[in-house]
Amino acid sequence: MDFGGIKVSATQRIAIAGLIIALLAGPAFAQRGQDREQAAPPPANASLSPDRLRAAWPAEQGHSILSATRAAADGPWSTSNRLLTTRGLVHRIVFSPDGKSIAYENSRTWKDDKKPEDSWEFICVYDIATRQISFVDPSFDEDNDPAWSPDAKAITFTRKVPGLADARLTRPVTRLKLSAWTPPPLKAGEKFSLTSVLAAPFIYPPAPSGDATALAYATREARNRNLYFLRAGRPAVKLFSYSGDDGQDLETVAVSQTGAAVAFVRGGPLNPQGDSPNPTGLADMPQMQVWLIGTKNDAPRLLGNGREPLFSPDNHYVLWRSGGNVMAASLIWEKGRLKAVGAPEEFLSGERTGLRFSPDGQKAAYERDHGIEIYNFLTKTASVVPHGKDIDSGPVWSPDGQKLAFRRVSPDSPTGLSIDTCGNYRYCGPEVASTPWSIWIVNVASLGVQKIWQASPGQGSVFYPLDQSYSPGQPSMLWTADDRIVFPYEGDGWRHLYALPAVGGEAKLLTQGDGEVETAALSPDRRHIFYATNIGDLGRRHIATVGLDGSPSLTLTPGDKDQWAPIALAGGSVAYVGAGWADPPTVSIREKGGQTSVAAYPKRPGGFPTKFLLKPSLVEFPADDGKTAYGQLFLPEKTNGCAVIFSHGGIKRQMLPGFHYMDAYAYLYGMNQYLASRGCVVLSVEYRSSIMRGEAFRDAPGWGFAANSELSDFVGGAKWLMQRKDVNKSLGVGIYGLSWGGYMTANALSQHSDIFTVGFDMAGVHTSSNEAGTKYSALGNIDKWTSPVFMAQGDDDMNVDFDEGTVLARALQAKRPQVELRQQVLPGQTHDLYLTYEQLVEIYQEGSNFLLAHLGVK
């Protein structure tokens, strides 16, 4: 017998026949036959492909699409399988003419109150071969009833806008390029592309090892997310890289006690519907996951779903929060290297935040139900620190582990940084507490509590914390070696550091001068504080240090660049992140003697436009109501009459005259540079209610929906620009911003279309649930709106409700049809619109083009 030219003997033929019989009788073949016999036919509502060989239908819960296939048009169906799972519900499935794709309606909601603006609907396309979901012209409206073009390259659908007749539209099917995406080429009139400046590496706050000899940090570098490890005195190394631009974040990092392992979080947090961000339309919904990697050429290991990893002081466990519990996995080491990881198990049940181990690792303190608990790992019991109706938080251990310090506030106290102090973004007078916040000490053994200090009434009576997200592992209060508590307090109108004896007494000011401390770290010997501040340089950040021996504070990094995120290392060294107007962020280590070294990673990308970037000037100008406003001015060597104002968000933020310590604002800084490179004079406004200029500026009268007093800063800025000889007054001024910057953009356009002639509104706040505040919202002034606007928002926005976009976009279409409105929704994207480099570049480019075109720049 001849098998394809190979001669087989009789004996071999018998053996082959036996093998075939065995395979036919085996469980796999039997199961396949059983599936054919027992598979139920698709339901009656299933859609069939043109060749009738595939069926697809929504799963019972409506979040997935199921499918079955068959070999012949009249043959039996296979067992169904899941094609995809998506946020929202699936309706009306339609196969493309070639049967290679499926179009369907995808209805989504944000809240449960069933208001029209809280629901929207996309037309989606699923590519069967690549398993990729894409969206057809996604908007703030409701799209349904899809129909394919004969060539399968376009879809016709119905768009519904309340107050308008339904419109039948046809749009091409476009897909994210993912691995095949290439940046657009340099265009005529460009000194550099927006793509090149947005490729600037961004460094998330580094985290130190427990022994303060090493640190790890995550970066975003265009289409890659990287994880680096740096041991003091050695070059930085890349531990791992995620390429492919799949839209999954890589940020939170924790390092083991000796720096032998790093835990990190990949993916985004859950939205109210229980879904993680999915900007690239993955058919399998992504999860927020905790991973672990050894620092000696190991591969990452998945620990499980969750966030906030933490190593125990004895290095025996890595812990993380998952759902409402604290999970843990045991760690097995061999000669200082991670050998094995135990199976995840529930470590502590119930929601806990701010978990902090005692110095000996035998206890942990954490916040729970507005109070503080102390868990003893030896006895496996928890003790509650008595607190009544007050709210206790921020526990910090004494060096000997016998006591805890914490802060206490009354339940009716304002929250300091909140923009919702007394009802929906409005000013209610100076921010003071009827019962000022206080510092308490608890004896861990007896649970006896003692108040050791209380803020004075009036200014500073509301606790204003440090932003310790940029100093991982450090609380807002620090317990020093000489038994003092260091804490932030703005009793003099500025957020400064004070030192207080742990037995009580007078609090001593450590950081003098106009300006504030933003983040701080305690040295390993607990005798020095390193902190990031703008004291003496209100428009920038620098690293300073102060001892506890009465010596004055010392600025370690003066100059015209910025530094932030101090990390105290062994031997008196300090690590930090720094950047300039043309220098993307880098990690540096400053030795005790002053010698400074810069980490080799991340590297500046090839083609980065260093020589074309402008040095912004810190400026002051008159607001429209006569007060003083501040900002950063980008002045091109050669202007073309174009002027643009940028508004940061927050609302509690401050821009810098260089690359920023927040990712979104680092990218927006790049966009300011790009607009300036196109000949526009760009003014980034540091408006009232921004941070780092004292309590009076941050809590300015009438901000927000109380009277929108900060709009005076933008109107004044626009008039100041139009008085310049290098600005064409007749063109007016463009304005753009993100979040509260979108609020300012929309308000400027709706109330002053005669000055602000075009706007780019990203994820803006547009409505007030407070009736009195409506007249200070964009929606309340929509009848005066005439200027064109480009609106953009991700529908997985957990900072600004998506209905803030739907209500304004729909109102403009129905009530102001003469206003040119361009809208772009990014399904699965979060608030800052940057989860994929491709979408970041494209939305910023589209917004820039929109502004430039309406300001006469070709």
Side-chain angles (χ1 to χ4, degrees):
M1 182 175 292
D2 190 304
F3 283 82
I6 301 175
K7 296 188 179 297
V8 181
S9 66
T11 304
Q12 289 173 322
R13 289 199 301 272
I14 295 172
I16 292 172
L19 177 61
I20 294 172
I21 293 171
L23 289 171
L24 293 175
F29 188 88
Q31 181 64 48
R32 287 195 291 272
Q34 187 178 23
D35 288 344
R36 287 197 180 94
E37 293 175 4
Q38 297 182 1
N45 66 336
S47 298
L48 295 180
S49 59
D51 60 9
R52 304 182 65 82
L53 300 182
R54 181 183 288 274
W57 64 94
E60 184 176 349
Q61 297 83 1
H63 301 292
S64 300
I65 293 181
L66 302 180
S67 178
T69 59
R70 56 186 177 181
D74 57 353
W77 291 98
S78 67
T79 302
S80 63
N81 66 295
R82 181 186 61 83
L83 288 184
L84 63 92
T85 299
T86 187
R87 178 183 168 194
L89 300 176
V90 173
H91 310 281
R92 198 186 298 269
I93 297 172
V94 183
F95 277 91
S96 60
D98 58 10
K100 295 180 179 180
S101 299
I102 295 171
Y104 60 92
E105 300 171 356
N106 179 205
S107 61
R108 301 189 176 192
T109 60
W110 188 245
K111 299 176 182 176
D112 296 326
D113 52 14
K114 301 187 184 303
K115 293 181 180 178
E117 61 266 25
D118 290 333
S119 62
W120 57 99
E121 194 161 14
F122 301 131
I123 300 299
C124 303
V125 171
Y126 174 75
D127 186 283
I128 297 173
T130 64
R131 302 195 71 231
Q132 183 188 340
I133 301 170
S134 55
F135 299 82
V136 180
D137 190 27
S139 72
F140 292 101
D141 304 319
E142 294 192 8
D143 297 339
N144 51 43
D145 195 20
W148 287 90
S149 63
D151 61 2
K153 294 182 178 180
I155 287 181
T156 299
F157 58 93
T158 300
R159 175 159 291 173
K160 297 184 177 182
V161 181
L164 295 178
D166 293 353
R168 195 70 178 161
L169 306 176
T170 299
R171 297 288 186 268
V173 176
T174 59
R175 296 175 172 85
L176 286 173
K177 311 301 188 301
L178 298 179
S179 59
W181 182 73
T182 55
L186 199 66
K187 300 185 300 184
E190 287 185 330
K191 290 182 178 179
F192 60 86
S193 69
L194 189 54
T195 307
S196 65
V197 72
L198 294 180
F202 181 81
I203 301 174
Y204 291 95
S209 60
D211 62 7
T213 63
L215 54 87
Y217 51 98
T219 67
R220 171 81 180 275
E221 301 173 54
R223 293 171 54 80
N224 300 321
R225 287 172 167 86
N226 298 321
L227 181 66
Y228 295 102
F229 177 74
L230 174 61
R231 190 172 293 281
R234 302 180 189 175
V237 296
K238 185 185 292 186
L239 289 183
F240 201 75
S241 180
Y242 289 94
S243 59
D245 206 21
D246 64 358
Q248 299 307 300
D249 254 333
L250 175 65
E251 293 185 25
T252 309
V253 173
V255 188
S256 67
Q257 297 305 305
T258 60
V262 174
F264 60 93
V265 177
R266 180 160 158 78
L270 301 178
N271 62 22
Q273 286 72 40
D275 301 319
S276 288
N278 186 19
T280 58
L282 301 175
D284 301 312
M285 290 291 286
Q287 303 291 324
M288 193 176 195
Q289 298 175 327
V290 178
W291 292 76
L292 182 68
I293 185 171
T295 57
K296 296 182 178 179
N297 300 318
D298 292 335
R301 314 175 198 215
L302 176 63
L303 296 176
N305 292 346
R307 61 200 188 280
E308 298 177 22
L310 176 70
F311 288 90
S312 62
D314 59 11
N315 244 11
H316 289 168
Y317 290 94
V318 58
L319 296 85
W320 66 95
R321 292 176 62 193
S322 181
N325 303 314
V326 177
M327 303 296 292
S330 60
L331 304 176
I332 300 174
W333 306 89
E334 185 177 86
K335 297 180 180 181
R337 183 169 183 165
L338 184 63
K339 181 181 179 181
V341 181
E345 58 185 26
E346 186 179 288
F347 197 69
L348 294 171
S349 61
E351 189 68 37
R352 292 162 169 82
T353 58
L355 184 70
R356 297 196 173 280
F357 282 98
S358 61
D360 62 6
Q362 295 182 1
K363 300 179 182 67
Y366 48 83
E367 300 170 19
R368 190 179 188 188
D369 297 330
H370 300 300
I372 292 172
E373 285 186 3
I374 303 169
Y375 187 85
N376 189 314
F377 295 111
L378 298 179
T379 63
K380 298 184 178 180
T381 58
S383 303
V384 180
V385 177
H387 65 98
K389 294 182 179 180
D390 292 321
I391 300 172
D392 295 346
S393 57
V396 55
W397 288 93
S398 62
D400 62 7
Q402 302 301 308
K403 297 177 182 178
L404 279 171
F406 60 91
R407 65 180 180 270
R408 175 168 287 178
V409 301
S410 63
D412 60 348
S413 175
T415 56
L417 272 178
S418 174
I419 55 177
D420 210 12
T421 349
C422 56
N424 196 254
Y425 310 99
R426 62 192 183 95
Y427 179 82
C428 308
E431 197 169 66
V432 297
S434 56
T435 302
W437 72 280
S438 53
I439 299 176
W440 293 66
I441 298 289
V442 58
N443 184 294
V444 174
S446 67
L447 293 182
V449 297
Q450 175 190 3
K451 181 169 66 174
I452 63 169
W453 181 87
Q454 187 163 23
S456 300
Q459 192 171 59
S461 60
V462 175
F463 182 70
Y464 183 32
L466 299 173
D467 194 348
Q468 294 295 63
S469 60
Y470 300 99
S471 207
Q474 299 286 349
S476 266
M477 296 195 301
L478 309 169
W479 201 316
T480 68
D482 61 353
D483 217 26
R484 282 189 281 177
I485 311 297
V486 175
F487 63 95
Y489 177 47
E490 57 177 351
D492 63 356
W494 301 91
R495 181 173 55 185
H496 284 303
L497 293 180
Y498 290 76
L500 171 73
V503 295
E506 182 182 355
K508 178 184 177 182
L509 175 64
L510 296 178
T511 56
Q512 298 185 7
D514 289 353
E516 300 193 358
V517 175
E518 188 164 41
T519 179
L522 184 63
S523 64
D525 64 5
R526 295 178 178 259
R527 298 188 183 279
H528 293 82
I529 309 292
F530 295 98
Y531 57 97
T533 182
N534 69 337
I535 295 174
D537 193 356
L538 291 178
R540 297 183 176 89
R541 299 291 186 279
H542 300 296
I543 306 300
T545 184
V546 64
L548 300 166
D549 56 2
S551 58
S553 59
L554 174 66
T555 300
L556 301 178
T557 59
D560 54 5
K561 297 182 181 180
D562 292 276
Q563 304 82 29
W564 58 85
I567 296 176
L569 298 178
S573 300
V574 59
Y576 57 86
V577 182
W581 65 90
D583 303 311
T586 56
V587 174
S588 296
I589 295 181
R590 184 186 188 276
E591 306 295 337
K592 185 177 181 179
Q595 305 89 345
T596 301
S597 59
V598 179
Y601 295 103
K603 295 184 180 297
R604 188 174 305 190
F608 185 75
T610 303
K611 66 180 181 180
F612 294 116
L613 299 186
L614 302 173
K615 183 179 181 180
S617 301
L618 298 177
V619 295
E620 297 181 7
F621 53 90
D624 202 43
D625 60 1
K627 297 186 181 298
T628 300
Y630 308 90
Q632 301 90 36
L633 183 69
F634 298 74
L635 185 60
E637 291 184 8
K638 183 178 180 181
T639 63
N640 54 19
C642 164
V644 175
I645 279 181
F646 167 73
S647 172
H648 68 70
I651 186 173
K652 309 302 183 185
R653 299 278 187 266
Q654 183 188 43
M655 290 299 287
L656 303 175
F659 287 94
H660 204 270
Y661 54 85
M662 293 183 65
D663 39 17
Y665 293 106
Y667 301 133
L668 289 164
Y669 171 79
M671 183 165 165
N672 283 339
Q673 286 280 4
Y674 174 75
L675 291 170
S677 76
R678 299 298 304 275
C680 296
V681 179
V682 178
L683 176 64
S684 174
V685 176
E686 187 181 334
Y687 51 93
R688 67 194 76 178
S689 67
S690 298
I691 60 171
M692 303 300 287
R693 288 188 179 271
E695 189 273 341
F697 191 79
R698 189 185 73 250
D699 195 25
W703 67 270
F705 289 120
N708 197 204
S709 62
E710 63 268 51
L711 185 58
S712 290
D713 299 335
F714 290 88
V715 175
K719 292 179 177 179
W720 182 69
L721 287 176
M722 289 192 293
Q723 291 173 0
R724 296 180 60 92
K725 294 180 179 180
D726 47 15
V727 170
N728 185 343
K729 183 178 179 179
S730 64
L731 294 174
V733 176
I735 184 170
Y736 84 104
L738 169 72
S739 193
W740 198 261
Y743 167 76
M744 297 312 307
T745 296
N747 268 14
L749 296 173
S750 64
Q751 297 184 49
H752 297 279
S753 277
D754 57 325
I755 299 174
F756 298 97
T757 51
V758 60
F760 179 26
D761 173 355
M762 291 181 279
V765 178
H766 305 126
T767 66
S768 171
S769 60
N770 181 295
E771 185 175 349
T774 299
K775 65 179 180 179
Y776 302 113
S777 70
L779 202 65
N781 291 277
I782 197 169
D783 291 339
K784 297 182 287 184
W785 192 323
T786 60
S787 296
V789 63
F790 182 6
M791 291 179 60
Q793 189 172 6
D795 87 324
D796 225 342
D797 192 330
M798 286 178 278
N799 298 67
V800 172
D801 288 352
F802 188 70
D803 62 7
E804 294 287 336
T806 61
V807 68
L808 180 60
R810 295 173 186 180
L812 282 170
Q813 292 175 87
K815 298 179 180 180
R816 302 294 293 170
Q818 66 270 45
V819 171
E820 181 186 349
L821 169 66
R822 181 171 177 182
Q823 51 177 320
Q824 178 67 62
V825 169
L826 288 81
Q829 270 282 4
T830 52
H831 181 61
D832 296 317
L833 305 176
Y834 60 40
L835 286 181
T836 75
Y837 182 59
E838 177 182 344
Q839 289 176 320
L840 171 70
V841 168
E842 291 185 354
I843 198 67
Y844 277 34
Q845 189 69 69
E846 290 174 14
S848 297
N849 292 346
F850 190 83
L851 292 171
L852 293 169
H854 286 85
L855 292 170
V857 181
K858 296 181 180 179

Tab-separated table of all heavy atoms in Angstrom, residues 307 321-327 346 348-352 368:
chain	number	residue	atom	x	y	z
A	307	ARG	N	-5.929	44.549	43.316
A	307	ARG	CA	-5.191	45.812	43.267
A	307	ARG	C	-4.408	45.981	44.567
A	307	ARG	O	-4.525	45.182	45.483
A	307	ARG	CB	-6.169	46.982	43.083
A	307	ARG	CG	-7.186	47.131	44.217
A	307	ARG	CD	-8.386	47.950	43.774
A	307	ARG	NE	-9.288	48.271	44.863
A	307	ARG	CZ	-10.183	47.442	45.358
A	307	ARG	NH1	-10.282	46.202	44.887
A	307	ARG	NH2	-10.975	47.823	46.343
A	321	ARG	N	-5.623	43.530	47.582
A	321	ARG	CA	-7.070	43.649	47.763
A	321	ARG	C	-7.779	43.063	46.547
A	321	ARG	O	-7.411	43.338	45.406
A	321	ARG	CB	-7.481	45.100	47.957
A	321	ARG	CG	-7.003	45.706	49.277
A	321	ARG	CD	-7.361	47.180	49.362
A	321	ARG	NE	-8.797	47.376	49.322
A	321	ARG	CZ	-9.382	48.552	49.124
A	321	ARG	NH1	-8.640	49.619	48.897
A	321	ARG	NH2	-10.687	48.661	49.124
A	322	SER	N	-8.800	42.270	46.809
A	322	SER	CA	-9.579	41.659	45.729
A	322	SER	C	-11.032	41.591	46.169
A	322	SER	O	-11.351	40.964	47.190
A	322	SER	CB	-9.062	40.260	45.405
A	322	SER	OG	-9.804	39.684	44.341
A	323	GLY	N	-11.906	42.235	45.387
A	323	GLY	CA	-13.291	42.284	45.810
A	323	GLY	C	-13.378	43.014	47.140
A	323	GLY	O	-12.844	44.098	47.319
A	324	GLY	N	-14.002	42.387	48.118
A	324	GLY	CA	-14.096	42.990	49.439
A	324	GLY	C	-13.151	42.383	50.435
A	324	GLY	O	-13.320	42.571	51.647
A	325	ASN	N	-12.133	41.654	49.985
A	325	ASN	CA	-11.249	40.960	50.902
A	325	ASN	C	-9.792	41.283	50.636
A	325	ASN	O	-9.442	41.873	49.608
A	325	ASN	CB	-11.465	39.441	50.789
A	325	ASN	CG	-12.903	39.040	51.054
A	325	ASN	OD1	-13.526	39.495	52.006
A	325	ASN	ND2	-13.446	38.187	50.196
A	326	VAL	N	-8.935	40.881	51.591
A	326	VAL	CA	-7.493	40.947	51.408
A	326	VAL	C	-6.999	39.537	51.133
A	326	VAL	O	-7.241	38.614	51.919
A	326	VAL	CB	-6.787	41.522	52.652
A	326	VAL	CG1	-5.272	41.511	52.442
A	326	VAL	CG2	-7.275	42.935	52.937
A	327	MET	N	-6.356	39.347	49.986
A	327	MET	CA	-5.830	38.052	49.599
A	327	MET	C	-4.330	38.001	49.885
A	327	MET	O	-3.679	39.030	50.068
A	327	MET	CB	-6.081	37.798	48.112
A	327	MET	CG	-7.534	37.879	47.696
A	327	MET	SD	-8.553	36.605	48.475
A	327	MET	CE	-7.886	35.138	47.675
A	346	GLU	N	-7.617	33.591	51.044
A	346	GLU	CA	-8.173	34.748	51.737
A	346	GLU	C	-7.391	34.989	53.020
A	346	GLU	O	-7.265	34.113	53.862
A	346	GLU	CB	-9.645	34.518	52.049
A	346	GLU	CG	-10.331	35.730	52.642
A	346	GLU	CD	-11.802	35.454	52.904
A	346	GLU	OE1	-12.573	35.374	51.925
A	346	GLU	OE2	-12.165	35.294	54.094
A	348	LEU	N	-7.644	38.215	54.951
A	348	LEU	CA	-8.561	38.930	55.830
A	348	LEU	C	-9.860	39.143	55.068
A	348	LEU	O	-9.855	39.591	53.922
A	348	LEU	CB	-7.982	40.285	56.242
A	348	LEU	CG	-6.718	40.288	57.117
A	348	LEU	CD1	-6.178	41.706	57.236
A	348	LEU	CD2	-7.019	39.721	58.492
A	349	SER	N	-10.972	38.820	55.685
A	349	SER	CA	-12.259	38.984	55.012
A	349	SER	C	-12.836	40.355	55.341
A	349	SER	O	-12.673	40.864	56.446
A	349	SER	CB	-13.229	37.887	55.449
A	349	SER	OG	-13.464	37.960	56.846
A	350	GLY	N	-13.496	40.950	54.378
A	350	GLY	CA	-14.102	42.252	54.582
A	350	GLY	C	-13.243	43.376	54.023
A	350	GLY	O	-12.027	43.271	53.932
A	351	GLU	N	-13.901	44.454	53.636
A	351	GLU	CA	-13.231	45.580	52.998
A	351	GLU	C	-12.331	46.309	53.982
A	351	GLU	O	-12.748	46.704	55.065
A	351	GLU	CB	-14.269	46.560	52.438
A	351	GLU	CG	-13.706	47.657	51.569
A	351	GLU	CD	-13.155	47.141	50.258
A	351	GLU	OE1	-13.742	46.213	49.683
A	351	GLU	OE2	-12.117	47.678	49.819
A	352	ARG	N	-11.061	46.501	53.611
A	352	ARG	CA	-10.090	47.219	54.424
A	352	ARG	C	-9.258	48.113	53.503
A	352	ARG	O	-8.924	47.715	52.396
A	352	ARG	CB	-9.157	46.248	55.169
A	352	ARG	CG	-9.854	45.433	56.240
A	352	ARG	CD	-9.005	44.226	56.620
A	352	ARG	NE	-9.490	43.542	57.803
A	352	ARG	CZ	-10.475	42.656	57.809
A	352	ARG	NH1	-11.081	42.341	56.672
A	352	ARG	NH2	-10.854	42.086	58.935
A	368	ARG	N	-11.498	50.826	58.511
A	368	ARG	CA	-12.684	50.020	58.219
A	368	ARG	C	-13.892	50.650	58.896
A	368	ARG	O	-13.850	50.943	60.090
A	368	ARG	CB	-12.489	48.591	58.710
A	368	ARG	CG	-13.577	47.626	58.238
A	368	ARG	CD	-13.289	46.231	58.757
A	368	ARG	NE	-14.187	45.253	58.172
A	368	ARG	CZ	-14.267	43.991	58.556
A	368	ARG	NH1	-13.480	43.549	59.534
A	368	ARG	NH2	-15.110	43.161	57.967
